Amino acid sequence: MHITPFGAAGEVTGSAYLVATELGQVLIDFGMFQGDAEDDARNIVPHTLHAPDLNAVILTHGHLDHCGRLPLLIRRGFKGRIHATSATRDMAELILMDAARIMESDFARKQRKAQKKGINVNRQDLPLYDSNDAERTIECFSETPYETYVEVAPGMTMRLFEAGHMLGSTSVELTVTEQERTVTIVFSGDLGPRGLPYLQDAVTPPKADIVVLESTYGDRDHRPLSETVDEFAGIVKEAIAERGVILIPSFAIGRSQQVMYHLAQLIREDVIPRVPIYLDSPMAIEASNIYARHPELFDAEASALAQGGQLLHDLANVRPLATADESKHLNDVPGPFIVIAGSGMCTAGRILHHLRRRISDPSAHVIIVGYQAHGTLGRRLVDGHAEVGILGDRLPVRARIHTLGGFSAHAGQTDLLDWLAPLTASQPQILLTHGEDEARIVLQSRIEERFGLTSFLPTYREHLTI
Ligand SMILES: [Zn+2]
Protein backbone atom coordinates (compact mmCIF):
# COMPACT_ATOMS: atom_id res chain seq x y z
CA MET A 1 0.00 0.00 0.00
CA HIS A 2 1.47 3.36 -1.04
CA ILE A 3 0.71 7.07 -0.99
CA THR A 4 2.52 9.34 -3.45
CA PRO A 5 2.10 13.13 -3.47
CA PHE A 6 2.16 14.46 -7.04
CA GLY A 7 1.99 18.05 -5.80
CA ALA A 8 1.26 20.25 -2.75
CA ALA A 9 4.20 18.74 -0.85
CA GLY A 10 6.12 21.66 0.65
CA GLU A 11 4.04 24.11 -1.39
CA VAL A 12 0.38 25.15 -1.67
CA THR A 13 -0.52 24.35 -5.29
CA GLY A 14 -0.73 21.24 -7.48
CA SER A 15 -2.67 19.09 -4.96
CA ALA A 16 -2.60 15.41 -6.00
CA TYR A 17 -2.17 12.25 -3.92
CA LEU A 18 -2.13 8.75 -5.35
CA VAL A 19 -3.23 5.85 -3.16
CA ALA A 20 -2.24 2.51 -4.70
CA THR A 21 -2.62 -1.12 -3.63
CA GLU A 22 -2.25 -4.40 -5.53
CA LEU A 23 -5.97 -4.17 -6.28
CA GLY A 24 -6.56 -0.59 -7.29
CA GLN A 25 -5.43 3.02 -7.63
CA VAL A 26 -7.24 6.17 -6.62
CA LEU A 27 -6.11 9.76 -7.04
CA ILE A 28 -7.24 12.42 -4.55
CA ASP A 29 -7.33 15.75 -6.44
CA PHE A 30 -5.28 16.58 -9.53
CA GLY A 31 -4.68 20.29 -9.28
CA MET A 32 -2.73 22.80 -11.23
CA PHE A 33 0.62 24.22 -10.10
CA GLN A 34 0.32 28.00 -10.04
CA GLY A 35 3.08 30.58 -9.89
CA ASP A 36 6.03 31.12 -12.25
CA ALA A 37 7.08 29.50 -15.54
CA GLU A 38 8.81 26.67 -13.65
CA ASP A 39 5.50 25.80 -11.99
CA ASP A 40 3.73 25.90 -15.37
CA ALA A 41 6.19 23.32 -16.68
CA ARG A 42 5.11 20.91 -13.93
CA ASN A 43 1.52 20.87 -15.16
CA ILE A 44 1.78 17.42 -16.70
CA VAL A 45 0.71 13.86 -15.93
CA PRO A 46 3.89 12.45 -14.30
CA HIS A 47 5.21 9.41 -16.18
CA THR A 48 4.78 7.19 -13.11
CA LEU A 49 1.05 7.91 -13.10
CA HIS A 50 -0.76 5.72 -15.66
CA ALA A 51 -4.11 7.38 -16.33
CA PRO A 52 -5.79 4.24 -17.81
CA ASP A 53 -4.85 2.23 -14.67
CA LEU A 54 -6.58 4.64 -12.31
CA ASN A 55 -9.89 3.35 -10.96
CA ALA A 56 -11.19 6.74 -9.85
CA VAL A 57 -10.45 10.28 -8.81
CA ILE A 58 -11.88 11.88 -5.68
CA LEU A 59 -12.07 15.68 -5.93
CA THR A 60 -12.11 17.53 -2.58
CA HIS A 61 -13.25 20.90 -4.00
CA GLY A 62 -13.41 23.03 -7.14
CA HIS A 63 -10.39 25.36 -6.80
CA LEU A 64 -8.02 25.25 -9.78
CA ASP A 65 -5.07 24.13 -7.65
CA HIS A 66 -7.12 21.00 -6.84
CA CYS A 67 -8.94 20.25 -10.12
CA GLY A 68 -6.88 22.07 -12.80
CA ARG A 69 -4.98 19.07 -14.20
CA LEU A 70 -7.99 16.74 -14.47
CA PRO A 71 -8.51 17.36 -18.24
CA LEU A 72 -4.92 16.13 -18.79
CA LEU A 73 -5.89 12.79 -17.25
CA ILE A 74 -8.84 12.47 -19.63
CA ARG A 75 -6.52 13.20 -22.55
CA ARG A 76 -4.21 10.45 -21.32
CA GLY A 77 -6.92 7.78 -21.30
CA PHE A 78 -8.49 7.95 -17.82
CA LYS A 79 -11.79 6.03 -18.03
CA GLY A 80 -13.00 6.10 -14.41
CA ARG A 81 -15.33 8.38 -12.48
CA ILE A 82 -14.51 11.60 -10.67
CA HIS A 83 -16.31 11.52 -7.32
CA ALA A 84 -17.29 14.87 -5.79
CA THR A 85 -20.23 16.69 -4.23
CA SER A 86 -22.75 18.24 -6.58
CA ALA A 87 -21.62 21.80 -5.68
CA THR A 88 -17.99 20.83 -6.34
CA ARG A 89 -18.99 19.52 -9.77
CA ASP A 90 -20.68 22.87 -10.53
CA MET A 91 -17.69 24.88 -9.25
CA ALA A 92 -15.20 22.68 -11.13
CA GLU A 93 -17.20 23.15 -14.33
CA LEU A 94 -17.10 26.94 -13.94
CA ILE A 95 -13.37 26.98 -13.11
CA LEU A 96 -12.18 24.44 -15.70
CA MET A 97 -14.17 26.03 -18.54
CA ASP A 98 -12.79 29.43 -17.58
CA ALA A 99 -9.21 28.09 -17.41
CA ALA A 100 -9.61 26.39 -20.82
CA ARG A 101 -10.99 29.56 -22.43
CA ILE A 102 -8.15 31.69 -21.02
CA MET A 103 -5.57 29.19 -22.37
CA GLU A 104 -7.32 29.11 -25.75
CA SER A 105 -7.38 32.89 -26.10
CA ASP A 106 -3.75 33.21 -24.90
CA PHE A 107 -2.76 30.67 -27.52
CA ALA A 108 -4.74 32.43 -30.28
CA ARG A 109 -2.97 35.69 -29.40
CA LYS A 110 0.48 34.05 -29.52
CA GLN A 111 -0.43 32.35 -32.80
CA ARG A 112 -1.40 35.66 -34.39
CA LYS A 113 1.88 37.20 -33.22
CA ALA A 114 3.89 34.28 -34.61
CA GLN A 115 2.04 34.39 -37.93
CA LYS A 116 2.88 38.07 -38.30
CA LYS A 117 6.55 37.19 -37.86
CA GLY A 118 6.19 34.21 -40.20
CA ILE A 119 7.28 31.69 -37.54
CA ASN A 120 5.67 28.77 -35.71
CA VAL A 121 4.42 29.08 -32.14
CA ASN A 122 6.64 27.51 -29.48
CA ARG A 123 5.68 24.07 -28.25
CA GLN A 124 5.44 25.35 -24.66
CA ASP A 125 2.87 27.94 -25.79
CA LEU A 126 0.34 25.26 -26.79
CA PRO A 127 -2.67 25.28 -24.44
CA LEU A 128 -2.58 22.51 -21.81
CA TYR A 129 -6.11 21.61 -22.84
CA ASP A 130 -9.15 23.19 -24.50
CA SER A 131 -12.86 23.67 -23.74
CA ASN A 132 -13.66 20.33 -25.32
CA ASP A 133 -11.30 18.52 -22.89
CA ALA A 134 -12.83 20.45 -19.98
CA GLU A 135 -16.34 19.43 -21.10
CA ARG A 136 -15.31 15.77 -21.35
CA THR A 137 -13.90 16.03 -17.83
CA ILE A 138 -17.18 17.33 -16.43
CA GLU A 139 -19.01 14.36 -18.02
CA CYS A 140 -16.89 12.01 -15.85
CA PHE A 141 -18.23 13.39 -12.56
CA SER A 142 -20.29 11.22 -10.21
CA GLU A 143 -22.13 13.38 -7.72
CA THR A 144 -21.71 12.06 -4.18
CA PRO A 145 -23.61 13.28 -1.12
CA TYR A 146 -21.79 14.02 2.14
CA GLU A 147 -21.17 11.20 4.63
CA THR A 148 -22.27 8.41 2.29
CA TYR A 149 -20.16 5.30 1.61
CA VAL A 150 -19.13 4.80 -2.02
CA GLU A 151 -16.92 2.03 -3.36
CA VAL A 152 -14.39 3.79 -5.60
CA ALA A 153 -12.03 0.90 -6.45
CA PRO A 154 -11.62 -2.77 -5.50
CA GLY A 155 -10.92 -2.69 -1.75
CA MET A 156 -11.40 1.08 -1.45
CA THR A 157 -14.44 2.84 0.00
CA MET A 158 -14.79 6.56 0.62
CA ARG A 159 -16.93 9.05 2.48
CA LEU A 160 -16.90 12.83 2.09
CA PHE A 161 -17.12 15.24 5.05
CA GLU A 162 -17.77 18.99 5.12
CA ALA A 163 -14.49 20.97 5.01
CA GLY A 164 -15.96 24.51 5.40
CA HIS A 165 -13.55 26.01 2.83
CA MET A 166 -15.71 26.72 -0.23
CA LEU A 167 -19.20 25.71 -1.32
CA GLY A 168 -19.21 21.89 -1.66
CA SER A 169 -15.71 21.44 -0.21
CA THR A 170 -14.85 18.16 1.48
CA SER A 171 -12.41 16.12 3.50
CA VAL A 172 -12.08 12.50 2.36
CA GLU A 173 -12.14 9.34 4.46
CA LEU A 174 -10.71 6.50 2.39
CA THR A 175 -10.90 2.95 3.79
CA VAL A 176 -8.38 0.74 2.03
CA THR A 177 -8.25 -3.06 2.32
CA GLU A 178 -5.38 -5.19 1.03
CA GLN A 179 -4.59 -8.77 2.03
CA GLU A 180 -6.92 -8.72 5.05
CA ARG A 181 -5.38 -5.49 6.34
CA THR A 182 -7.64 -2.42 6.48
CA VAL A 183 -6.31 1.12 6.82
CA THR A 184 -8.35 4.32 7.11
CA ILE A 185 -6.73 7.35 5.50
CA VAL A 186 -8.21 10.81 6.04
CA PHE A 187 -7.32 13.62 3.64
CA SER A 188 -8.27 16.96 5.16
CA GLY A 189 -8.47 18.74 1.78
CA ASP A 190 -8.38 22.50 2.26
CA LEU A 191 -10.03 23.35 5.59
CA GLY A 192 -11.94 26.56 6.19
CA PRO A 193 -11.79 28.71 9.31
CA ARG A 194 -14.72 28.42 11.71
CA GLY A 195 -17.55 30.87 11.07
CA LEU A 196 -17.08 31.63 7.38
CA PRO A 197 -20.31 33.20 6.02
CA TYR A 198 -22.70 30.84 4.19
CA LEU A 199 -20.66 27.72 4.91
CA GLN A 200 -21.02 25.10 7.59
CA ASP A 201 -17.94 24.52 9.73
CA ALA A 202 -15.59 21.65 8.93
CA VAL A 203 -16.51 18.23 10.32
CA THR A 204 -13.70 15.88 11.39
CA PRO A 205 -14.19 12.28 10.21
CA PRO A 206 -14.50 9.84 13.16
CA LYS A 207 -11.26 7.88 12.90
CA ALA A 208 -8.01 7.54 11.01
CA ASP A 209 -4.84 5.46 10.87
CA ILE A 210 -3.24 8.05 8.61
CA VAL A 211 -4.09 11.75 8.35
CA VAL A 212 -2.95 13.87 5.40
CA LEU A 213 -3.41 17.38 6.79
CA GLU A 214 -3.15 20.71 4.98
CA SER A 215 -0.84 23.27 6.61
CA THR A 216 -1.28 26.49 4.56
CA TYR A 217 -1.46 28.65 7.71
CA GLY A 218 0.12 26.12 10.06
CA ASP A 219 2.38 28.82 11.48
CA ARG A 220 -0.19 31.45 12.46
CA ASP A 221 -3.72 32.43 13.37
CA HIS A 222 -5.71 34.99 11.39
CA ARG A 223 -7.06 38.15 12.90
CA PRO A 224 -10.63 37.39 14.13
CA LEU A 225 -13.15 37.76 11.28
CA SER A 226 -15.45 39.94 13.41
CA GLU A 227 -12.70 42.59 13.75
CA THR A 228 -12.13 42.60 10.00
CA VAL A 229 -15.85 42.92 9.33
CA ASP A 230 -16.09 45.85 11.78
CA GLU A 231 -13.22 47.61 10.01
CA PHE A 232 -14.84 46.92 6.63
CA ALA A 233 -18.13 48.39 7.91
CA GLY A 234 -16.38 51.56 9.10
CA ILE A 235 -14.68 52.14 5.73
CA VAL A 236 -17.84 51.53 3.68
CA LYS A 237 -19.96 53.72 5.95
CA GLU A 238 -17.54 56.65 5.80
CA ALA A 239 -17.01 56.36 2.04
CA ILE A 240 -20.76 56.37 1.37
CA ALA A 241 -21.25 59.36 3.69
CA GLU A 242 -18.68 61.21 1.55
CA ARG A 243 -20.57 60.07 -1.60
CA GLY A 244 -17.45 58.24 -2.80
CA VAL A 245 -17.11 55.34 -5.20
CA ILE A 246 -15.94 52.12 -3.54
CA LEU A 247 -13.98 49.61 -5.63
CA ILE A 248 -13.50 46.11 -4.25
CA PRO A 249 -11.18 43.92 -6.34
CA SER A 250 -12.26 40.38 -5.55
CA PHE A 251 -11.86 36.74 -6.55
CA ALA A 252 -15.03 35.67 -8.33
CA ILE A 253 -15.70 32.58 -6.26
CA GLY A 254 -16.08 32.69 -2.51
CA ARG A 255 -14.72 36.12 -1.66
CA SER A 256 -17.24 38.04 -3.81
CA GLN A 257 -20.15 36.21 -2.18
CA GLN A 258 -18.62 36.76 1.27
CA VAL A 259 -18.30 40.51 0.64
CA MET A 260 -21.96 40.65 -0.49
CA TYR A 261 -23.00 38.73 2.64
CA HIS A 262 -21.30 41.30 4.87
CA LEU A 263 -22.80 44.17 2.86
CA ALA A 264 -26.25 42.57 3.24
CA GLN A 265 -25.76 42.53 7.00
CA LEU A 266 -24.73 46.21 7.05
CA ILE A 267 -27.84 47.13 5.05
CA ARG A 268 -30.10 44.97 7.25
CA GLU A 269 -28.73 46.58 10.40
CA ASP A 270 -29.04 50.07 8.90
CA VAL A 271 -25.33 50.73 9.18
CA ILE A 272 -25.22 51.77 5.53
CA PRO A 273 -27.96 53.03 3.18
CA ARG A 274 -29.09 51.08 0.13
CA VAL A 275 -26.58 52.30 -2.41
CA PRO A 276 -26.18 50.39 -5.70
CA ILE A 277 -23.81 47.41 -5.48
CA TYR A 278 -22.53 46.36 -8.91
CA LEU A 279 -21.38 42.76 -9.21
CA ASP A 280 -19.18 43.35 -12.22
CA SER A 281 -17.89 39.90 -13.13
CA PRO A 282 -19.63 37.23 -15.23
CA MET A 283 -17.79 34.54 -13.28
CA ALA A 284 -18.82 35.98 -9.89
CA ILE A 285 -22.42 36.18 -11.16
CA GLU A 286 -22.30 32.51 -12.20
CA ALA A 287 -20.67 31.52 -8.89
CA SER A 288 -23.43 33.37 -7.02
CA ASN A 289 -26.00 31.40 -9.04
CA ILE A 290 -24.29 28.17 -7.93
CA TYR A 291 -24.60 29.33 -4.30
CA ALA A 292 -28.30 30.01 -4.89
CA ARG A 293 -28.74 26.47 -6.27
CA HIS A 294 -27.26 24.89 -3.12
CA PRO A 295 -29.04 26.37 -0.08
CA GLU A 296 -28.89 22.88 1.50
CA LEU A 297 -25.19 23.53 2.14
CA PHE A 298 -25.68 26.83 4.01
CA ASP A 299 -25.03 27.19 7.73
CA ALA A 300 -27.94 27.90 10.09
CA GLU A 301 -27.66 31.70 9.82
CA ALA A 302 -27.47 31.87 6.02
CA SER A 303 -30.14 29.22 5.75
CA ALA A 304 -32.60 31.20 7.90
CA LEU A 305 -31.85 34.40 5.96
CA ALA A 306 -32.25 32.65 2.60
CA GLN A 307 -35.43 30.78 3.50
CA GLY A 308 -37.30 33.82 4.76
CA GLY A 309 -36.30 35.81 1.67
CA GLN A 310 -34.40 38.24 3.90
CA LEU A 311 -31.09 37.81 2.07
CA LEU A 312 -32.68 38.56 -1.31
CA HIS A 313 -34.39 41.59 0.22
CA ASP A 314 -31.11 42.86 1.72
CA LEU A 315 -29.36 42.40 -1.60
CA ALA A 316 -32.14 43.84 -3.76
CA ASN A 317 -29.78 46.67 -4.75
CA VAL A 318 -27.15 44.28 -6.18
CA ARG A 319 -26.97 44.70 -9.94
CA PRO A 320 -25.13 42.01 -11.88
CA LEU A 321 -23.33 43.46 -14.88
CA ALA A 322 -23.13 40.79 -17.55
CA THR A 323 -21.52 42.77 -20.37
CA ALA A 324 -18.39 44.89 -20.64
CA ASP A 325 -20.47 47.77 -22.04
CA GLU A 326 -22.64 47.87 -18.92
CA SER A 327 -19.44 47.92 -16.89
CA LYS A 328 -17.92 50.82 -18.85
CA HIS A 329 -21.16 52.74 -18.38
CA LEU A 330 -20.25 53.18 -14.71
CA ASN A 331 -17.41 55.50 -15.74
CA ASP A 332 -19.92 58.33 -16.04
CA VAL A 333 -21.95 57.55 -12.92
CA PRO A 334 -21.29 59.67 -9.80
CA GLY A 335 -20.98 58.04 -6.34
CA PRO A 336 -21.93 56.72 -3.97
CA PHE A 337 -21.88 53.15 -5.22
CA ILE A 338 -19.92 49.94 -4.71
CA VAL A 339 -18.27 47.84 -7.42
CA ILE A 340 -17.13 44.27 -6.82
CA ALA A 341 -15.02 43.20 -9.81
CA GLY A 342 -12.20 40.86 -10.78
CA SER A 343 -9.49 40.05 -10.93
CA GLY A 344 -8.74 39.66 -7.26
CA MET A 345 -5.15 40.88 -7.58
CA CYS A 346 -5.94 43.55 -10.23
CA THR A 347 -3.90 41.72 -12.87
CA ALA A 348 -6.70 41.56 -15.48
CA GLY A 349 -10.45 41.92 -15.82
CA ARG A 350 -12.90 44.75 -15.41
CA ILE A 351 -11.45 46.10 -12.16
CA LEU A 352 -8.67 47.58 -14.32
CA HIS A 353 -10.84 50.06 -16.19
CA HIS A 354 -12.57 51.08 -12.94
CA LEU A 355 -9.17 51.67 -11.34
CA ARG A 356 -7.97 53.67 -14.35
CA ARG A 357 -11.07 55.85 -14.09
CA ARG A 358 -11.02 56.37 -10.29
CA ILE A 359 -7.48 55.84 -8.93
CA SER A 360 -6.61 59.56 -9.12
CA ASP A 361 -9.92 60.64 -7.57
CA PRO A 362 -9.41 61.51 -3.86
CA SER A 363 -13.07 60.72 -3.08
CA ALA A 364 -12.72 57.11 -4.31
CA HIS A 365 -11.89 54.17 -2.04
CA VAL A 366 -10.25 50.87 -2.96
CA ILE A 367 -10.80 48.09 -0.44
CA ILE A 368 -8.36 45.19 -0.74
CA VAL A 369 -10.00 42.04 0.68
CA GLY A 370 -7.67 39.29 -0.56
CA TYR A 371 -4.08 38.19 -0.84
CA GLN A 372 -1.95 40.23 -3.29
CA ALA A 373 1.09 38.44 -4.74
CA HIS A 374 4.39 40.21 -5.42
CA GLY A 375 4.52 41.96 -8.78
CA THR A 376 0.75 42.55 -9.11
CA LEU A 377 -0.99 45.93 -9.36
CA GLY A 378 -2.94 45.01 -6.22
CA ARG A 379 0.34 44.60 -4.35
CA ARG A 380 1.63 47.98 -5.57
CA LEU A 381 -1.55 49.62 -4.26
CA VAL A 382 -1.18 47.84 -0.90
CA ASP A 383 2.48 48.91 -0.75
CA GLY A 384 1.44 52.56 -1.16
CA HIS A 385 3.01 53.39 -4.55
CA ALA A 386 2.38 57.08 -5.37
CA GLU A 387 1.97 56.30 -9.06
CA VAL A 388 0.92 53.11 -10.86
CA GLY A 389 0.61 51.88 -14.44
CA ILE A 390 -2.91 50.80 -15.45
CA LEU A 391 -3.83 49.70 -18.99
CA GLY A 392 -0.91 51.63 -20.46
CA ASP A 393 -1.39 54.86 -18.45
CA ARG A 394 0.80 56.16 -15.61
CA LEU A 395 -1.56 57.53 -12.98
CA PRO A 396 -1.07 59.18 -9.58
CA VAL A 397 -2.75 57.28 -6.72
CA ARG A 398 -5.07 59.71 -4.94
CA ALA A 399 -7.89 57.31 -4.04
CA ARG A 400 -7.72 55.94 -0.52
CA ILE A 401 -6.42 52.37 -0.38
CA HIS A 402 -7.62 50.17 2.52
CA THR A 403 -6.11 46.75 3.13
CA LEU A 404 -8.11 44.20 5.13
CA GLY A 405 -6.02 41.14 5.97
CA GLY A 406 -8.55 39.11 7.93
CA PHE A 407 -10.68 37.51 5.22
CA SER A 408 -9.38 34.01 4.58
CA ALA A 409 -10.94 30.78 3.39
CA HIS A 410 -8.21 28.75 5.12
CA ALA A 411 -8.13 27.62 8.73
CA GLY A 412 -5.45 29.22 10.87
CA GLN A 413 -3.21 27.19 13.17
CA THR A 414 -5.68 26.83 16.06
CA ASP A 415 -8.54 25.72 13.77
CA LEU A 416 -6.22 23.15 12.12
CA LEU A 417 -5.23 21.70 15.51
CA ASP A 418 -8.84 21.67 16.74
CA TRP A 419 -9.93 19.84 13.58
CA LEU A 420 -7.17 17.26 14.11
CA ALA A 421 -7.84 16.77 17.85
CA PRO A 422 -10.60 14.09 17.64
CA LEU A 423 -8.40 11.93 15.41
CA THR A 424 -5.38 11.94 17.71
CA ALA A 425 -6.78 9.45 20.25
CA SER A 426 -5.94 6.55 17.92
CA GLN A 427 -2.36 7.86 17.45
CA PRO A 428 -2.46 8.14 13.65
CA GLN A 429 0.49 8.78 11.38
CA ILE A 430 0.27 12.39 10.22
CA LEU A 431 1.52 13.72 6.89
CA LEU A 432 1.63 17.51 6.52
CA THR A 433 1.00 18.78 2.99
CA HIS A 434 -0.38 21.86 1.21
CA GLY A 435 1.90 24.33 2.99
CA GLU A 436 5.29 25.96 2.52
CA ASP A 437 7.99 24.32 4.64
CA GLU A 438 8.06 27.32 6.98
CA ALA A 439 4.38 26.79 7.85
CA ARG A 440 4.42 23.02 8.08
CA ILE A 441 7.53 22.89 10.28
CA VAL A 442 5.84 25.16 12.83
CA LEU A 443 2.64 23.08 12.68
CA GLN A 444 4.71 19.91 13.13
CA SER A 445 6.11 21.20 16.42
CA ARG A 446 2.67 22.38 17.63
CA ILE A 447 1.24 18.89 16.93
CA GLU A 448 4.11 17.35 18.90
CA GLU A 449 3.52 19.78 21.81
CA ARG A 450 -0.26 19.42 21.97
CA PHE A 451 -0.76 15.74 21.07
CA GLY A 452 2.67 14.14 21.52
CA LEU A 453 2.55 12.91 17.92
CA THR A 454 5.27 12.98 15.31
CA SER A 455 4.24 14.17 11.87
CA PHE A 456 6.03 13.72 8.55
CA LEU A 457 6.73 16.23 5.79
CA PRO A 458 6.51 14.29 2.52
CA THR A 459 8.22 15.57 -0.63
CA TYR A 460 7.04 15.73 -4.25
CA ARG A 461 6.71 12.22 -5.78
CA GLU A 462 7.95 10.53 -2.57
CA HIS A 463 6.81 6.92 -2.59
CA LEU A 464 5.42 6.42 0.93
CA THR A 465 4.81 2.83 1.99
CA ILE A 466 2.00 2.38 4.48
ZN1 LIG B 1 -8.94 25.61 -1.99
Side-chain angles (χ1 to χ4, degrees), residues 61 63 65-66 165-166 190 410 434:
H61 65 286
H63 281 147
D65 63 318
H66 290 257
H165 167 67
M166 87 181 290
D190 287 4
H410 277 278
H434 202 288

